[in-house]
Amino acid sequence: RIGVCYFPEHWPRERWETDVQQMVEAGIDVVRMAEFSWGRIEPERGEFDFEWLDTAVSLLGDAGIDVVLCTPTATPPKWLVDEHPEILQVEPDGTTREFGSRRHYCFNSGVYREESARIAREMTERYADVDAVVGWQTDNEYGCHETVRCYCEDCAAAFREWCRERYDDVDSLNETWGTAFWSQQHGSFAEVDPPRHTAAEHHPSRLLDYARFATESVVDYNDLQAEIIREANDEWFVTHNFMGHFDTLDSFSVGDSLDFATWDSYPTGFAQDRNTEAVTDDRLRAGDPDQVSLNHDLYRGPDGFWVMEQQPGDVNWPPRCPQPGEGAMRLWAHQAVAHGANVVSYFRWRRCRQGQEQYHAGLRKHDGSPDRGYGDASRAAAEFAELGELDGVDAPVALCFSYEDLWALSEQPHAPEFDYWGLVGSFYRALRARGIQVDVVDVSPGADIHLDGYEAVVAPTVHLADESLAGQFEAYVADGGSLLVGPRTGYKLPGNRLQPDLAPGPFADLVGGRVDQHESLPSSVETRLSYRGEEYGYRTWAEWLAPDGGTAVGEYTTGVAAGRPAILEHAVGDGSVTYCGVWPEEDLADALLVGLLDRADVSHAERFPETVRVTPRDGYVWILNFGADPVDIDVGSEAAWHVGDSSIPGFGVGVVEAGLADVSIT
Amino acid sequence: RIGVCYFPEHWPRERWETDVQQMVEAGIDVVRMAEFSWGRIEPERGEFDFEWLDTAVSLLGDAGIDVVLCTPTATPPKWLVDEHPEILQVEPDGTTREFGSRRHYCFNSGVYREESARIAREMTERYADVDAVVGWQTDNEYGCHETVRCYCEDCAAAFREWCRERYDDVDSLNETWGTAFWSQQHGSFAEVDPPRHTAAEHHPSRLLDYARFATESVVDYNDLQAEIIREANDEWFVTHNFMGHFDTLDSFSVGDSLDFATWDSYPTGFAQDRNTEAVTDDRLRAGDPDQVSLNHDLYRGPDGFWVMEQQPGDVNWPPRCPQPGEGAMRLWAHQAVAHGANVVSYFRWRRCRQGQEQYHAGLRKHDGSPDRGYGDASRAAAEFAELGELDGVDAPVALCFSYEDLWALSEQPHAPEFDYWGLVGSFYRALRARGIQVDVVDVSPGADIHLDGYEAVVAPTVHLADESLAGQFEAYVADGGSLLVGPRTGYKLPGNRLQPDLAPGPFADLVGGRVDQHESLPSSVETRLSYRGEEYGYRTWAEWLAPDGGTAVGEYTTGVAAGRPAILEHAVGDGSVTYCGVWPEEDLADALLVGLLDRADVSHAERFPETVRVTPRDGYVWILNFGADPVDIDVGSEAAWHVGDSSIPGFGVGVVEAGLADVSIT
Amino acid sequence: RIGVCYFPEHWPRERWETDVQQMVEAGIDVVRMAEFSWGRIEPERGEFDFEWLDTAVSLLGDAGIDVVLCTPTATPPKWLVDEHPEILQVEPDGTTREFGSRRHYCFNSGVYREESARIAREMTERYADVDAVVGWQTDNEYGCHETVRCYCEDCAAAFREWCRERYDDVDSLNETWGTAFWSQQHGSFAEVDPPRHTAAEHHPSRLLDYARFATESVVDYNDLQAEIIREANDEWFVTHNFMGHFDTLDSFSVGDSLDFATWDSYPTGFAQDRNTEAVTDDRLRAGDPDQVSLNHDLYRGPDGFWVMEQQPGDVNWPPRCPQPGEGAMRLWAHQAVAHGANVVSYFRWRRCRQGQEQYHAGLRKHDGSPDRGYGDASRAAAEFAELGELDGVDAPVALCFSYEDLWALSEQPHAPEFDYWGLVGSFYRALRARGIQVDVVDVSPGADIHLDGYEAVVAPTVHLADESLAGQFEAYVADGGSLLVGPRTGYKLPGNRLQPDLAPGPFADLVGGRVDQHESLPSSVETRLSYRGEEYGYRTWAEWLAPDGGTAVGEYTTGVAAGRPAILEHAVGDGSVTYCGVWPEEDLADALLVGLLDRADVSHAERFPETVRVTPRDGYVWILNFGADPVDIDVGSEAAWHVGDSSIPGFGVGVVEAGLADVSIT
Ligand SMILES: [Zn+2]
Ligand SMILES: [Zn+2]
Ligand SMILES: [Zn+2]
């Protein structure tokens, strides 16, 4: 289904009926509204004006369109800030984040929690019996603009309380963190502060716990809203629109209190501003397909997911803002559906004539005429209607992911280039190049991971680990599973202290060896290894392995490391494990992956170039062309094409009934 | 005339007579003094010591030298700061700008306005009847070191008052800014704050109004001083020394209360620290000629202008400080005069032995001996005396400029490379390469622009616009004018909201089309178009045009844009308009310009290389060589050379009686 | 002797005996402890727990190991910070440097001085009669993380007092600084502030005096501790561990109250994070040998020096953390000894499992097994035992160095590339390439310099100077000395004002000329000169010289400077001076040096490539290979090799009885 984000409050009422009619014509049947509307709904304390929203909801409902409403808490209005300046966030150096953009409130402000509950109650009670409203989005993009972590006094108090609950007595905190280093012992929980500005780097254990605390503050804040929404009408779904490739918020945790997750997908922006790889011409026009798909898979739950905001054309916030390739807005919608999206909702209906996002396109231009995305969205809507209801994604491979690992590694990357997303992305890209559908599994310490159903498991790293976590992997392998594990695994205890033993700590028995040494390296150094007789490149990180039970199947060929083991294989029970002690370059990642898939008997495609992605769902295979050049596909002459045909134009799409292994580029 | 900036307070009194005598020998007949002398004049509150300045003024006066005095308000002394720390400026994050350099005061401090008036009255009354004193410079380089905009409480109060006066009621502010976006409505003027530190970007309309407010604060502050000066002696002129290539101060506005403008010209510094183009060897030695000339033309008024501070040799503040080319200090003086300068005053008489600028040369070295600039200045003085009184500059072409456009575009550049000065400079450089003299015309919203006298008008962009502004351009063209308009024109209303219609909004009828799409592009992308059968390059910004009445004379040949119109021509009334939807590379700018000049029947030179500039004034043509290599000029054998001859050495000058079109490089 | 830094407080007591036994096995006979132990020793105010340290000291003492204890003042514990937050340092913009890392205290806090004295007394009294304790290290790495300079109110008050003591009356301060510039006069010492955040650059004289004041604050603070230590037991030595290549602390001044200096040497880190030169593969693996040796020579006193912390393997803080070359940890120990080290003490015994430095290796891994450095350290210990007691270093050449020059030049570098360490390093590298041992001599204004014993003196610059300082150089030369002086010499008075005369001011008679002009240049400009018939390159800085008595032996061949003198030679009395007006590239530095050494009749080696260094001490020559490739040495067949032989492997060492001039690469 195709949706759109709509801001009636930005436009004259006379226009609304036209808008709704044009939505219907485009095949749009979901509309999100009101996420920044607090100032319009409550222009001064206690004076509510819902009439405009009532009207908009009923116009949409009359047209058969489902409405998703939002709590408007991402933008507390100025009168509230002036009344209670203590709700504002504070930087590590004590500077206040003032009113004038958005997300200026602190999640731990007691005053703001009350105010949030008050406005949420007002809104949800008003629409509790309105049929057109089918569910709610809480707030908007929690944490955008680096606002998960705040350093105000309310946060300091809440962090102390959080530590008290987690550790019970302060000696336990001291022991878990390891505060004997540099005289960082705390005599009581009252002595614990947020990690504010210091002369040198912070204690990594304090940083990690502050990251956890900050995420949990959002969870608590979100729970408060979710509860109020469900109190008003327990048939409503509750969701939130997460961001893409986002670091500071553990979306698994927040997701626990949602019915399903949604996220905001801006491919050409992400390719520029949060990608460690080169910005090619094709990525400028259609994004990095694997970067986007990884987020689809990350947010997909048992009931799928939505793209709540889909890039509609050119946007305002990346370094440069090229026009997307011809048809790219349709391509992205197909990509989302291939990865299990139930709704693809474009942001936004119409380019806005005011404020910070005037340079951000909509499906319609600011004069109301159709913009480039309108045709793309309409075409996608028609094609999805044609394809009908689809089964969910059936992924043979699990990809392990942990926000806590991300945090720990970003505190101590050991090289500017060591980026968690980049490491995970290297393994993920290799899987996608072979057309494999992937489920993303949370492997944070304490997680209860379910690997049973998967033919193979890929863990780019499992950095923080205890015996329990390692045990779950062992059980999976012993039971016949095939596992590929990457570097820096098992280095740290959950408290962000080194394991008592050498890495991979509790994984040592499983992988059949230990890490003798590690090093981080600049790109100026030649870094190569041999794996099963072929030479490959690696980057940034290297471990010198000492096999103990496992077999060295790769060894370094350059530098001080030359001759030392780099990759191990180990048969355990009915299964097997490959441990890769480096960050692999693309060819090595593919070689490791193909080895894993073959051992696990997982069918895969030939290796596609990055600009072409093949993705199976429900008996169909989507062929998605993220390049400007056309591509000819060979899938057998009798295959049934439901969208397009074997000649896929630049930025085009084909959907064919076929098996993954049958599709190739001619 | 040649002048110099003199600081007798830095040197022993015994030396002053020698100094004056050497000035006379050099042909210097204007001296500026006292702009940082408050601490010397009033060492403690109410204790004045004018005796030293009396002496210096009378020594100069006796030698027949005109004296320009300055109010010393750019450097409030420490005792005043300690008495009233509230006069200090404040950063957006709340940090105070402390005593210890200069320009630490806030323009909106009521206390400081009183103190400024007090010291200005003391000084002007003292010299009211001294004949040697011919005029005053207010303060010094308003806004230097990014000090136009302050974020203190006095500024907050003044901004609220400014908003109240501009908008009268707060709903009008809300509507003009467009505060329905992100709940940024204000319930009263008391709720309006300066744009201090926020989590994300500010509302562009708030930013633009703060920029206007800040400039007007300087205007008010300057008016206060100008009034006091004129009260003391209404035959004095009042001026101020502006900076070059400076963003945050609208010099047109400040200029309204001055008799004429002066500015401070440091060619080799500007070429390094505020130029988006490459720093070539020649630019290191003699500056970028067009960058300097643009500022001459910008500050030139009906009565010309002065260079109040002319670079005298090596300076201290650019990244590196090479020695200027041999003779460059004379070259710059000629350049200034060719562009209409009445006085070229070198900064400064002698290298200083104390404080922040010890690495800044003067006409004399710090031991008193002549420095490189002394000979250059003396030679220029003699040559100007020879040439005698000159008529003002007669410019056939107007170049449109708007500080408000500069501010709006720097808030939302849409690409790091999109720089207003750079865009204007591209068109200006093309004009200068053809020897055209240019008047710079203020086209800010609300400006009353006078285009009537010009053969042709070049508007690199007119970004903020209303019907009235567009109407003035239409009238000019309808009346037979020739107009060239660049990209991003007519995008926004004066309040920094998008126009209701597609760009160029109120200019659409005039240019004969609209902007269908725009995009910003990194330099890695190939960006070319064809114009009248030739291929040319463009950069950074591209608009896909939809002709409506106009004719597409250029179209894209690369990228997603290929095949779409890029340049329009439109005949309107007795005139014609060219609309260029891209930032043109040099060859394209030249081709567009030559087309314009030919249509307008403006005589021009052949296209000179950047290091050679030809400039007509009063029947003479200056040939200025900004390169290290000599240049031979062909201007006909009977042409009369008043300075130099047809062989112009590196960094040399020739002045010849000739027509612009007759001059060429052999 | 080989030592190690040991943190028993990080490990279970059961392990300590094993640790001590393994130390003995490695040949370690010095152990440093307790520098960050305050929180462990005094967990709450007045509650002391020394039992653990007593135990550790006695275990070590029983094993025959000397113990160096430290005052633990680098890390005041949280309870103390909470009690007295006013002890925290403050940034120039007013932000507090909070608890959470280390070095958060202000040297001028009266409260903290009392607390420091209290804990120092407690500790020193406790161990006054313990034989195993042989001496003390005060605090730890004064100034690390840029903490020499603090901007708090205590510092403001102390700075005012310091100025009063230095200048007696405020007019003298005004005159010495030159505050007539920009109205910076002070009416009283109460008006003097630290150089906090300002709109533009600070007065260079204020900055320089603040740098002096800050260093002297550390001196005073250190004196306080040294006195307490000596009071407890006057047979103890007192030392401090300085950092390498460190700017803000004058180690000569601090050193005055120490028995000898020690420093902390991390070659592969320094090569990356504080070296202006390229990071080659070899430097990543073994550091830049000359950068490290310069620090050895800088800290070496009449009684030698210690390396208190020697890099033990990979470390955590440089941008990237490669594994050192095979044997590099032994190589560095030999290098230190060749330069006069009495003890080389590795940091640290065992990789830590907690806190900020978990990614920093020790001699043992964190599981207790031997790490790479353990074997290297053991081998070095055995080799040093074999070599026996050695005479001190006998250096024929003095290299002039001044922290005050460093500060003055870093405030006004005049080019981003102008780096004092880099300039000094260029001359030092040329000396080291020829195998010359060098003493580093303090030539700050006011220093009493002893040049008499040296065959030759190299002064890369003597920037701040008065007649007295210049006179000492003149006396040296007149007496037959050979002197080489570099650029920017004699520019400034000690107060950081230009000399009354042209540079080199008081050195003009000595060098036989003056500086007519100077310029700083980007690397894009071609910069060459001819010296005695050969062409050479220079960089960054150039002076155009005017000989007056001296002879021009070098002149510029490129740019505006072409044809002007660049290098002077001058015979004075029985000696001679070469003045070099540029920053020389390597070949020119070598040519100048060889000229100097030949004139002074100093024997030197052939010119070695950077990765091979030959160093004489006590009849031996060390051949140190800092490259991965092996090197064959020719030193005559009968030469006695005490360590290694003529085939030196990559990162290997040879020690041979020979003369410097006899050693060459085959
Ligand atoms: Zn907070
Ligand atoms: Zn202010
Ligand atoms: Zn302090």
Side-chain angles (χ1 to χ4, degrees), chain C residues 472-539:
Chain C
Q472 298 183 64
F473 282 91
E474 268 183 44
Y476 167 74
V477 177
D479 211 38
S482 297
L483 174 65
L484 172 62
V485 191
R488 302 188 80 164
T489 287
Y491 264 58
K492 293 279 194 91
L493 292 173
N496 214 4
R497 294 184 56 155
L498 282 178
Q499 302 280 353
D501 296 321
L502 299 184
F507 284 87
D509 286 349
L510 180 58
V511 309
R514 292 197 182 269
V515 176
D516 184 56
Q517 300 293 341
H518 61 241
E519 59 179 349
S520 60
L521 293 164
S523 60
S524 61
V525 171
E526 194 188 8
T527 47
R528 299 191 66 75
L529 56 76
S530 76
Y531 168 62
R532 298 191 170 287
E534 296 283 328
E535 272 240 328
Y536 296 97
Y538 66 92
R539 50 168 290 199

Side-chain angles (χ1 to χ4, degrees), chain B residues 86-90 97 105-109 147-156 158 196 210 213:
Chain B
E86 73 271 26
I87 69 170
L88 294 173
Q89 290 207 340
V90 173
R97 295 172 182 155
Y105 73 84
C106 168
F107 291 106
N108 287 302
S109 163
T147 56
V148 170
R149 297 172 195 164
C150 166
Y151 302 83
C152 77
E153 278 309 307
D154 280 345
C155 284
R196 290 170 175 147
Y210 206 73
F213 155 76

Side-chain angles (χ1 to χ4, degrees), chain A residues 361-414:
Chain A
L363 295 183
R364 313 286 296 192
K365 296 181 186 174
H366 64 275
D367 72 340
S369 62
D371 207 335
R372 301 178 73 219
Y374 186 78
D376 280 12
S378 307
R379 192 168 165 200
E383 289 162 345
F384 296 149
E386 190 86 10
L387 287 170
E389 197 81 359
L390 296 164
D391 283 354
V393 167
D394 182 23
V397 175
L399 179 79
C400 300
F401 193 95
S402 159
Y403 285 97
E404 300 196 7
D405 287 353
L406 188 166
W407 301 331
L409 287 166
S410 66
E411 289 161 13
Q412 297 184 307
H414 218 52

Side-chain angles (χ1 to χ4, degrees), chain C residues 623 630-636 641 643-649 653-654 656 664 666:
Chain C
I623 297 110
V631 163
D632 285 319
I633 296 297
D634 179 1
V635 63
W641 286 90
V643 172
D645 57 32
S646 64
S647 296
I648 320 260
V653 178
V656 64
S664 61
T666 60

Side-chain angles (χ1 to χ4, degrees), chain C residues 106 150 152 155:
Chain C
C106 168
C150 165
C152 77
C155 284

